[in-house]
Amino acid sequence: ERALPAAQSAYAGALDAYRTGRFRYLEVLDAQRTLFEIRGSEIDALAAYHDAAADLERLTGTPLAHLAGRP
């Protein structure tokens, strides 16, 4: 919840600073790399969650919504 918005803000700030001559392009690339790494980690975590949910549904033969007591 906090890492991705912070990385997006850091990248935007670095890009603005580069455009005004306060940062070198290397700092922009570093901020961009960090942002992409965090996005990649988020995607990996979501994929692992959905894989685990699918495995649980397959093993139980029941949709997770029914296991949680939802119709």
Side-chain angles (χ1 to χ4, degrees), residues 1-64:
E1 291 179 16
R2 295 180 301 215
L4 187 57
Q8 289 170 329
S9 178
Y11 172 66
L15 193 56
D16 287 342
Y18 169 73
R19 289 180 180 150
T20 60
R22 294 179 289 137
F23 274 17
R24 295 178 300 147
Y25 196 63
L26 186 59
E27 282 85 12
V28 176
L29 291 176
D30 187 44
Q32 184 184 53
R33 179 184 49 79
T34 300
L35 174 59
F36 289 168
E37 286 176 355
I38 291 172
R39 281 184 182 164
S41 294
E42 182 181 34
I43 290 168
D44 291 344
L46 286 170
Y49 165 78
H50 287 289
D51 284 345
D55 286 344
L56 186 58
E57 287 180 341
R58 180 181 52 80
L59 291 169
T60 62
T62 307
L64 288 180

